[in-house]
Amino acid sequence: MDIDKIIEKAGGADEIAALAGVGLEAVRKWRQSRMVPTKHWPALLRVPGIALQDLTADLTAPQPPQEQAQQEQAQQEQERETDVSNPCPPGANAALVLADGTVLWGRGFGAHTDGAVGELCFSTGMTGYQETLTDPSFAGQIVTFTFPHIGNVGTNADDNEAPKMAALGAVVKEDITAPASWRSHDPLAAWLKQHNRAGISGVDTRAITRTLRDNGPQTAILAFPENGRIDTDSLLNRARQWPGLEGMDLAKEVTQPKRVWTQGVWETTRPARTENRRRVVAMDYGAKDNILRCLVTAGCDVTVLPATATAEEILELKPEGVFLSNGPGDPAATGTYAVPAIRTVLDANVPVFGICLGHQLLAQALGGKTYKLERGHRGANQPVKDIETGRVEITSQNHGFAVDEKSLPTDVKVTHVSLFDGSNEGIASTTKDAFSVQYHPEASPGPSDSFYLFERFVAVMDRRAKAGA
């Protein structure tokens, strides 16, 4: 390709620039790289005297590797700069596009993605970002961290709450620095890449938080493409087509096969109970590992069943108690198969303890309903009041749905309430040994305000065993 002859046949630099819809700077770069990007060929082929062989004549000629690499780099740069659908500002290589049309540019890290779409949320936790990202309750969501310094202590094999990262992506304010912790095995960016997930830094996370606070949940798409080309119009269209979490059953996507769990918590002021241990079946709707550890430490021998396990499969194990775990998605959707099983367990007079999604499923099994919150509760240091004792617990939470207290039957009492917005945080049946809480008592932000709930569950089973139930 003789670029100068091509420009001459088109009538000069001004004419070819107008014909291709680019600026003169782009034409200058064409001369520098000695080629015209292929996407402009259709426009040039309309010019009399320019044929396809004029544009392709030298493309098959052998080139020194260094020259070829330079030419390819120059072509990529000019395509990015002349592509009107890629208004990527200097220094940016990733974008977060909200369904309301907001475009936030930043610097990508982790694995490349052409666009991960989900519900954008924010978490207020100052620590524990690895636990947050691997919490199965975050499936279908992109997590914005309000704390600016995320990734500074790296990642390790011990802090995962599940085998793989559940969140679709991470949004942080500051660039990730080198890990500064003796516990670190891998930097956060490398860890994200291992999990095939992307993150974006350099974003105004306070602005995102205000948007979510004032306008409720937002659908968003995080793009960190390998070729550096970002079509914001296409991303916006994809974000607007996403149906949202309402009606979406995600428990089936994060649940694991049947397994026996034996590991207790690593460090605790409460010694693990070793005598008179109770047989517990834990329903895995997206269970966090530390919840299972707490059950073991409290005195349970735990068999974990997948979310779709039937009542017959549960009762076949002759459990002294059934635990309902946390998990993602709409509880009404998961309830289509989970609630019938839970009702059968309740009818069999087996004690039940639920957390988070498990709390919402138990409420449905007892006759209540759930609804989507205007803004979810995610993060630590969230105050919850125990109505019976008046005690306030500092809790960790992660939920976008809640139990509708008005829908609860008369034989179900409210036990806990959020001091943030007054939404329900706990219930108990007055006719069955069944209770649940909306928050995560195993996360210990207090640091151990809520561990008594696991001990209460074991105490119920002890009482029944003593009475010969």
Side-chain angles (χ1 to χ4, degrees):
M1 176 186 295
D2 189 327
I3 186 64
D4 292 321
K5 288 185 178 179
I6 295 295
I7 294 174
E8 181 182 349
K9 289 182 178 181
D14 290 330
E15 292 295 330
I16 198 171
L19 187 66
V22 300
L24 290 175
E25 176 63 16
V27 177
R28 184 190 68 79
K29 290 191 174 184
W30 293 355
R31 280 196 168 106
Q32 184 180 17
S33 63
R34 311 307 302 170
M35 64 187 306
V36 177
T38 55
K39 66 178 181 177
H40 298 304
W41 288 7
L44 299 186
L45 289 173
R46 293 197 296 267
V47 177
I50 296 180
L52 184 60
Q53 58 265 29
D54 296 323
L55 299 173
T56 61
D58 297 332
L59 291 182
T60 57
Q63 293 177 296
Q66 183 177 2
E67 182 179 338
Q68 183 177 2
Q70 292 175 345
Q71 181 171 303
E72 290 175 353
Q73 181 178 358
Q75 181 179 8
Q76 291 176 0
E77 289 180 356
Q78 69 189 39
E79 287 183 352
R80 290 178 59 184
E81 293 191 14
T82 60
D83 188 351
V84 294
S85 65
N86 180 48
C88 197
N93 61 0
L96 183 69
V97 180
L98 278 60
D100 66 2
T102 302
V103 179
L104 300 169
W105 297 98
R107 293 172 290 280
F109 58 94
H112 288 287
T113 174
D114 291 329
V117 59
E119 181 179 275
L120 183 64
C121 64
F122 66 87
S123 175
T124 61
M126 296 176 65
T127 60
Y129 55 81
Q130 186 177 343
E131 290 93 330
T132 296
L133 294 172
T134 53
D135 180 353
S137 297
F138 277 111
Q141 295 177 306
I142 300 170
V143 182
T144 300
F145 290 95
T146 60
F147 187 67
H149 302 291
I150 298 297
N152 293 3
V153 296
T155 64
N156 60 74
D158 296 328
D159 288 348
N160 292 336
E161 290 290 354
K164 60 182 181 180
M165 178 174 162
L168 294 172
V171 182
V172 303
K173 184 179 190 303
E174 301 293 341
D175 288 341
I176 307 300
T177 59
S181 172
W182 63 271
R183 298 181 68 241
S184 177
H185 293 175
D186 294 295
L188 178 58
W191 181 84
L192 282 172
K193 197 167 186 178
Q194 293 168 13
H195 288 268
N196 197 31
R197 292 288 193 268
I200 183 172
S201 64
V203 175
D204 188 347
T205 53
R206 290 179 299 179
I208 293 176
T209 303
R210 285 193 296 268
T211 295
L212 300 179
R213 178 198 65 189
D214 297 339
N215 303 322
Q218 299 287 314
T219 298
I221 184 167
L222 195 166
F224 176 36
E226 189 170 8
N227 63 8
R229 299 181 62 185
I230 300 176
D231 186 340
T232 54
D233 290 338
S234 175
L235 293 174
L236 178 60
N237 183 55
R238 288 175 58 191
R240 288 176 173 172
Q241 290 179 355
W242 194 66
L245 290 180
E246 284 192 83
M248 190 175 292
D249 173 28
L250 295 175
K252 289 180 180 178
E253 296 185 12
V254 297
T255 192
Q256 298 181 53
K258 178 182 177 181
R259 63 196 193 278
V260 174
W261 187 275
T262 59
Q263 186 181 67
V265 297
W266 297 313
E267 295 181 16
T268 179
T269 57
R270 295 172 171 82
R273 172 170 160 169
T274 58
E275 298 180 355
N276 299 319
R277 300 183 66 80
R278 300 302 171 196
R279 295 185 309 278
V280 169
V281 168
M283 295 302 298
D284 178 14
Y285 305 114
K288 295 169 65 176
D289 287 354
N290 206 41
I291 291 178
L292 304 178
R293 295 188 193 105
C294 287
L295 287 169
V296 169
T297 297
C300 302
D301 290 330
V302 181
T303 299
V304 187
L305 293 184
T308 54
T310 64
E312 291 73 19
E313 292 172 320
I314 297 171
L315 296 176
E316 184 180 342
L317 296 173
K318 302 186 184 312
E320 296 175 274
V322 172
F323 171 76
L324 311 176
S325 82
N326 63 293
D330 187 339
T334 304
T336 57
Y337 57 86
V339 166
I342 297 170
R343 283 178 177 158
T344 302
V345 169
L346 291 171
D347 291 340
N349 199 27
V350 177
V352 175
F353 171 35
I355 287 176
C356 196
L357 177 60
H359 161 70
Q360 297 158 0
L361 294 173
L362 177 61
Q364 293 181 67
L366 292 172
K369 297 180 180 179
T370 58
Y371 66 98
K372 197 169 195 316
L373 290 165
E374 291 186 6
R375 54 195 62 80
H377 299 172
R378 298 177 181 90
N381 303 325
Q382 305 207 18
V384 168
K385 182 177 180 179
D386 184 324
I387 295 176
E388 183 176 344
T389 65
R391 179 186 179 191
V392 176
E393 302 170 35
I394 301 303
T395 70
S396 176
Q397 304 198 17
N398 176 16
H399 62 105
F401 294 81
V403 170
D404 181 1
E405 291 185 357
K406 296 179 181 179
S407 70
L408 295 173
T410 56
D411 61 348
V412 177
K413 65 179 181 179
V414 173
T415 60
H416 297 75
V417 63
S418 169
L419 295 184
F420 272 169
D421 59 9
S423 61
N424 180 263
E425 291 285 349
I427 60 171
S429 171
T430 60
T431 59
K432 301 179 183 295
D433 286 324
F435 68 98
S436 59
V437 292
Q438 180 64 77
Y439 52 95
H440 288 232
E442 90 295 340
S444 304
S448 56
D449 290 10
S450 306
F451 190 83
Y452 73 92
L453 292 164
F454 296 98
E455 296 172 326
R456 176 183 293 177
F457 182 43
V458 173
V460 170
M461 292 184 284
D462 285 344
R463 172 177 54 79
R464 291 167 62 91
K466 191 174 183 179

